[in-house]
C-alpha cells in the first residue's frame, strides 16, 4: 500500500483530495499549519472515509519541521498544496507570498532529492498563462509575464520543479487548475476560508447567508459577453480525482517525460454575472451585489482546453456548474446551522 504525503491536506482542495486518496486505498500523511483551515476537518475526513489519516501540525516554511515528517514515514509520493492562493491579496503581500509559496516547495524537493524519492504532484494554476492570447487555453499556450504575484509564484514554482527534475530525475506533474468550487456531496467538508473570502464562490455564499452585506463584482467593462470576467469553475471533487489520475500515471510509469503539466478544468467559461444568476436559480434566492472597479491582477478571461488531460490522464469532469453551486450553498447553510 503506497503512502502519500499531502501538504496543506486540511485545506479546501487538499481535504477533498485526501478523501479521494483514501477511497482509492492509499495511506495518507497530512501536514498543515492550520493557517487557513481548522483541525476538525481531520475528523470530517475520517467520518467520510472511515479511516483517519496521519496528521502533523507542521509549517512547511520551517525546514527542520519538514525533515521531521520525512524521517517519520516511508513516503511513496507527494502532493504539494500548501500555499497562499489569493490573487488580490498577493499584490499587497508579495514577500509573504514568495516566502511561503517558494521556500516550502524548495524544502520538500530537497527532501525528495536527498532521499531519492519520486512522484511529485504540484498544485499549480492557470494563472501561469497570464492573459492567454487564445481561448480555450491549451498546454501549448505560452507562459506570459504573470498578472499577479500569486501567478508569479506558480510560474517560478514550475521552473524550480523543472530544473530539479532535470538535474535529479524526479518524476513530477504540475496540475494547472482553473477555479475549484463546490463541496463534498456529504456536506462534511467544503470551502471555509478564515476571515474575508478572497474567492468568488465563498463570498457569494456568505453574502447569501447574510454574513457579508453585499458581493462586489470587480469590473463590468471587460470585453466579455456581459462585461464581467470569465473563468472556468471546476467542482472540487472532480479536481481531487484529477490528482489520483496524475499520481497513478507516475506510480505506473505511464508518464512521457519526467516533468509534465496538464490543464485541469471543465472546458467552459462562465462570467461572474452568469455565476451569480446560476447560483440564484439553482438555490432559489436573490443576491445583493454591486459593480465596483476592476481588481489589480485579474485577467479578462481564462478557461481550459481539457483535451490533453482527458486523453493522457484518462480523466474528465463529471459534476456540473449547477452541482457545484448547489453544494457550495448547502455547505454554507450547514456552517450557519
Amino acid at each position: 500500500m503506497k503512502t502519500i504525503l499531502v501538504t496543506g491536506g486540511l485545506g479546501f482542495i487538499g481535504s477533498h483530495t485526501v478523501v479521494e486518496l483514501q477511497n482509492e486505498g492509499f495511506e495518507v500523511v497530512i501536514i498543515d499549519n492550520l493557517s487557513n483551515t481548522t483541525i476538525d476537518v481531520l475528523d470530517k475526513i475520517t467520518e467520510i472515509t472511515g479511516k483517519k489519516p496521519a496528521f502533523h501540525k507542521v509549517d512547511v516554511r520551517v525546514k527542520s519541521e519538514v525533515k521531521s515528517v520525512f524521517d517519520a514515514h516511508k513516503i511513496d509520493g507527494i502532493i504539494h498544496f500548501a500555499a497562499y492562493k489569493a490573487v488580490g491579496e498577493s499584490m499587497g503581500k508579495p514577500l509573504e507570498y514568495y516566502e511561503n509559496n517558494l521556500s516550502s516547495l524548495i524544502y520538500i524537493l530537497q527532501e525528495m532529492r536527498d532521499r531519492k524519492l519520486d512522484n511529485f504532484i504540484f498544485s499549480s494554476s492557470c494563472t501561469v498563462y497570464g492573459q492567454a492570447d487564445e481561448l480555450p487555453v491549451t498546454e501549448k499556450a505560452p507562459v506570459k509575464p504573470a498578472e499577479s504575484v500569486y501567478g508569479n509564484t506558480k510560474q517560478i514554482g514550475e521552473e524550480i520543479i523543472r530544473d530539479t527534475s532535470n538535474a535529479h530525475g524526479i518524476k513530477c506533474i504540475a496540475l494547472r487548475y482553473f477555479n475549484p468550487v463546490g463541496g463534498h456531496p456529504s456536506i462534511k467538508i467544503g470551502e471555509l476560508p478564515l476571515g474575508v473570502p478572497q474567492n468568488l464562490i465563498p463570498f457569494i455564499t456568505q453574502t447569501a447567508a447574510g454574513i457579508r452585506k453585499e458581493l462586489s463584482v470587480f469590473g463590468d467593462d471587460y470585453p466579455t459577453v456581459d462585461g464581467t470576467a470569465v473563468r472556468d469553475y471546476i467542482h472540487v471533487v472532480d479536481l481531487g480525482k484529477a490528482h489520483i489520475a496524475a499520481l497513478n500515471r507516475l506510480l505506473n510509469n505511464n508518464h512521457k517525460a519526467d516533468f509534465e503539466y496538464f490543464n485541469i478544468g471543465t472546458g467552459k467559461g462562465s462570467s461572474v454575472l452568469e455565476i451569480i444568476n446560476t447560483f440564484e436559480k439553482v438555490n432559489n434566492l436573490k443576491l445583493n451585489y454591486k459593480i465596483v472597479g476592476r481588481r489589480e491582477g485579474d485577467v479578462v478571461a481564462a478557461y481550459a482546453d481539457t483535451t490533453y488531460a482527458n486523453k493522457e490522464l484518462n480523466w474528465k469532469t463529471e459534476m456540473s456548474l449547477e452541482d457545484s453551486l448547489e453544494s457550495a450553498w448547502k455547505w454554507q447553510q450547514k456552517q450557519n446551522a
Side-chain angles (χ1 to χ4, degrees):
M1 191 174 292
K2 301 292 186 182
T3 299
I4 308 303
L5 175 66
V6 182
T7 74
L10 296 186
F12 176 43
I13 307 170
S15 62
H16 286 82
T17 301
V18 168
V19 165
E20 297 305 321
L21 284 166
Q22 294 201 153
N23 285 343
E24 290 294 316
F26 290 99
E27 293 284 338
V28 177
V29 178
I30 295 172
I31 58 179
D32 202 302
N33 69 351
L34 306 181
S35 64
N36 197 34
T37 187
T38 55
I39 190 62
D40 67 330
V41 175
L42 188 63
D43 294 330
K44 300 304 181 185
I45 291 171
T46 307
E47 289 175 21
I48 296 169
T49 64
K51 184 169 187 177
K52 188 169 187 175
F55 173 71
H56 298 266
K57 188 174 184 293
V58 160
D59 190 327
V60 284
R61 293 170 296 185
V62 181
K63 187 172 182 176
S64 60
E65 292 187 16
V66 173
K67 183 178 184 300
S68 70
V69 177
F70 280 88
D71 287 341
H73 301 273
K74 180 184 178 296
I75 304 298
D76 298 298
I78 293 115
I79 303 179
H80 181 47
F81 292 108
Y84 295 151
K85 63 181 180 63
V87 167
E89 181 185 62
S90 75
M91 304 304 286
K93 295 183 175 180
L95 293 176
E96 288 84 352
Y97 269 69
Y98 286 121
E99 178 199 30
N100 189 63
N101 293 8
L102 298 181
S103 64
S104 61
L105 171 63
I106 290 167
Y107 297 155
I108 295 286
L109 290 172
Q110 284 175 337
E111 293 300 322
M112 294 188 69
R113 175 200 63 192
D114 295 347
R115 298 164 193 267
K116 295 182 167 49
L117 299 179
D118 246 334
N119 309 316
F120 182 76
I121 309 292
F122 180 57
S123 170
S124 192
S125 168
C126 64
T127 56
V128 301
Y129 296 112
Q131 179 57 66
D133 295 324
E134 295 181 9
L135 294 170
V137 183
T138 73
E139 285 82 357
K140 290 185 170 67
V143 172
K144 299 171 71 176
E147 299 282 336
S148 68
V149 172
Y150 166 72
N152 203 30
T153 68
K154 293 302 182 182
Q155 286 186 0
I156 296 168
E158 286 196 13
E159 290 170 3
I160 291 169
I161 294 165
R162 182 182 290 107
D163 292 342
T164 302
S165 179
N166 288 340
H168 304 292
I170 298 173
K171 296 185 296 183
C172 304
I173 289 177
L175 297 182
R176 295 172 174 174
Y177 318 154
F178 282 67
N179 293 64
V181 294
H184 195 267
S186 68
I187 317 298
K188 292 182 184 295
I189 55 175
E191 187 168 12
L192 187 62
L194 302 184
V196 179
Q198 299 289 330
N199 296 57
L200 176 63
I201 303 305
F203 215 116
I204 284 177
T205 61
Q206 289 190 14
T207 302
I211 298 169
R212 307 290 163 193
K213 181 183 174 184
E214 63 185 1
L215 170 71
S216 294
V217 175
F218 296 103
D220 64 348
D221 58 349
Y222 287 107
T224 61
V225 62
D226 56 26
T228 62
V230 169
R231 299 290 183 271
D232 185 337
Y233 295 90
I234 176 173
H235 196 290
V236 67
V237 171
D238 283 331
L239 179 55
K241 290 177 178 177
H243 291 80
I244 311 302
L247 182 63
N248 283 328
R249 182 178 176 87
L250 295 181
L251 291 171
N252 297 328
N253 288 311
N254 291 330
H255 57 293
K256 294 181 176 176
D258 283 343
F259 175 66
E260 297 181 304
Y261 46 89
F262 299 93
N263 290 342
I264 305 297
T266 67
K268 181 180 184 299
S270 300
S271 74
V272 176
L273 288 181
E274 285 173 335
I275 292 293
I276 290 171
N277 293 336
T278 304
F279 181 86
E280 291 179 331
K281 184 177 179 181
V282 298
N283 296 307
N284 193 29
L285 48 76
K286 294 297 289 182
L287 272 177
N288 186 27
Y289 68 91
K290 69 174 181 180
I291 307 296
V292 298
R294 292 189 187 189
R295 183 174 56 180
E296 187 181 9
D298 281 340
V299 299
V300 176
Y303 53 97
D305 184 325
T306 62
T307 306
Y308 187 60
N310 296 156
K311 174 175 176 285
E312 291 294 323
L313 298 179
N314 192 28
W315 163 90
K316 67 179 190 310
T317 56
E318 298 172 2
M319 314 282 261
S320 68
L321 178 62
E322 288 78 6
D323 293 332
S324 298
L325 297 178
E326 186 177 10
S327 65
W329 177 232
K330 284 181 178 176
W331 165 251
Q332 183 66 60
Q333 288 176 299
K334 186 175 181 181
Q335 307 318 302
N336 298 346

